[in-house]
Amino acid sequence: MIMVMPHDRSKLGYKSGEVCIVIVPFHQVNTSDEKTDKAIQRLNLNPKSAALSLSVFLLFCLQVHSGWLFKRGGSWSTWRKRYFVLRGDIIFYYREQADAKHLGEIPLAGNEARELPASSQESLKAPHKHLFEILPGEGGHGFAHNRESYLLCGSSALEIQEWLSKIIHVIRKQERAMFKQTLSDSVARERGMKNGGIAPIIVINACSFLRKYGLKELGLFRQPGRQYRIKELQEAYDKGLYPVLGTPGDTDIHSVGSLLKLYLRSVPDAVIPLEYSENFVAASKCKLVSPQ
């Protein structure tokens, strides 16, 4: 939760007539001015350089998740408790929660995260059995000091699942890949494009193609398409190329049907929201009076 808190302008170097609005997390509303100033330093802000009549500092507004975790050292295999803050597409970690300067950072863009089995606790000498790892992905830039991965440990399975869900959501949001994105993210990304903003473009293109050419095709959605063509189309959509499906001479009907099924299976959220599922089931049982 975020709320507005008044702040002493003189401490930020502002002249009379200028306004400063400091926005902080709800749990920090009652903190001292000293901690608020540390928060400003943490974001590397320089209030004195501002020349606007209305200066707004959004402190921690990009903070997605935070909490205590154990981190395994790089050179030394020692587990130490650190305070982690996920902000934007970077995880910062601190020795103490109130520290102004972070000890290090873990970039997420282009990288991957995975949960480790509980049996890893013994071999890794972890303080708890709930572990996960952040490692370089194919499109990532790796980590500083040639580090292979970051091993993190939490006190409960729920805690780890919360971290993983937030991290994976950030990673997928940074990617241009269409497959495995939520429906809302895909629609929001395509809102400014032609035919975009109602449903993912891949769904619109595939359904238009199948409605035009595939309604009388025997075995539609049952017969598999050509794997090389399906993979080719998937990679093109993931790269944001939005290929034209053309005619059945360019792309066979079953490949488009298989592509659509593959996409719908990859979507992490439900295609039909749970609150509407009963209505869809009831509608499927209705008998049409006439084909029209």
Side-chain angles (χ1 to χ4, degrees):
M1 183 175 182
I2 297 176
M3 67 175 293
V4 179
M5 181 182 74
H7 192 82
D8 185 357
R9 290 178 313 208
S10 62
K11 289 188 178 182
L12 297 178
Y14 280 86
K15 300 176 182 178
S16 61
E18 293 183 327
V19 180
C20 176
I21 301 175
V22 177
I23 302 180
V24 298
F26 181 76
H27 72 274
Q28 292 205 6
V29 170
N30 294 323
T31 57
S32 64
D33 283 346
E34 180 182 357
K35 287 187 177 181
T36 304
D37 289 337
K38 282 186 176 181
I40 293 173
Q41 295 172 20
R42 183 182 295 183
L43 290 182
N44 297 320
L45 296 174
N46 182 9
K48 292 184 179 181
S49 65
L52 300 175
S53 60
L54 177 63
S55 299
V56 180
F57 294 108
L58 305 177
L59 303 183
F60 305 111
C61 62
L62 296 179
Q63 181 170 315
V64 178
H65 197 59
S66 62
W68 291 97
L69 292 170
F70 287 90
K71 184 184 76 67
R72 194 184 192 205
S75 302
W76 304 93
S77 301
T78 307
W79 291 88
R80 298 191 182 279
K81 195 173 185 180
R82 299 292 184 234
Y83 189 76
F84 289 79
V85 176
L86 171 55
R87 186 181 301 120
D89 60 355
I90 299 175
I91 300 178
F92 300 88
Y93 55 92
Y94 304 82
R95 192 183 305 276
E96 299 293 340
Q97 182 176 354
D99 286 351
K101 187 175 181 180
H102 60 272
L103 296 174
E105 57 188 62
I106 307 173
L108 297 180
N111 296 321
E112 300 174 1
R114 64 179 182 182
E115 187 175 6
L116 298 178
S119 57
S120 305
Q121 179 184 9
E122 185 176 352
S123 60
L124 295 174
K125 299 180 180 179
H128 301 286
K129 63 180 180 180
H130 311 290
L131 301 115
F132 69 96
E133 181 180 24
I134 301 174
L135 58 162
E138 293 182 2
H141 301 291
F143 303 119
H145 311 298
N146 296 320
R147 185 165 185 149
E148 294 183 359
S149 67
Y150 284 87
L151 291 168
L152 303 170
C153 173
S155 58
S156 70
L158 178 61
E159 184 178 35
I160 293 304
Q161 290 301 322
E162 287 179 345
W163 272 104
L164 277 174
S165 65
K166 300 291 185 183
I167 290 171
I168 292 173
H169 179 74
V170 169
I171 291 174
R172 288 178 177 171
K173 203 167 186 179
Q174 295 298 321
E175 296 174 346
R176 295 185 66 185
M178 175 177 290
F179 283 71
K180 296 185 179 180
Q181 275 201 350
T182 63
L183 292 172
S184 58
D185 285 343
S186 294
V187 171
R189 185 183 64 177
E190 299 167 354
R191 187 161 287 129
M193 300 176 60
K194 183 180 179 181
N195 298 328
I198 300 174
I201 287 180
I202 186 173
V203 175
I204 295 174
N205 290 351
C207 288
S208 298
F209 180 93
L210 294 174
R211 186 181 295 114
K212 187 174 183 179
Y213 302 111
L215 294 182
K216 296 182 180 180
E217 183 72 15
L218 185 64
L220 182 62
F221 297 122
R222 181 174 56 83
Q223 291 188 25
R226 299 171 187 170
Q227 290 302 315
Y228 75 91
R229 183 56 175 154
I230 297 169
K231 184 177 181 181
E232 186 179 61
L233 289 170
Q234 179 185 355
E235 290 176 352
Y237 275 107
D238 274 343
K239 292 177 182 177
L241 300 179
Y242 304 103
V244 177
L245 299 178
T247 66
D250 304 312
T251 306
D252 71 287
I253 293 171
H254 296 295
S255 293
V256 176
S258 297
L259 178 73
L260 181 58
K261 288 197 299 181
L262 180 64
Y263 171 73
L264 294 176
R265 287 182 185 137
S266 76
V267 174
D269 49 353
V271 176
I272 299 176
L274 185 60
E275 59 267 29
Y276 299 115
S277 60
E278 292 185 1
N279 294 339
F280 274 86
V281 171
S284 67
K285 297 178 180 179
C286 293
K287 293 183 179 181
L288 295 177
V289 177
S290 69
Q292 297 179 352

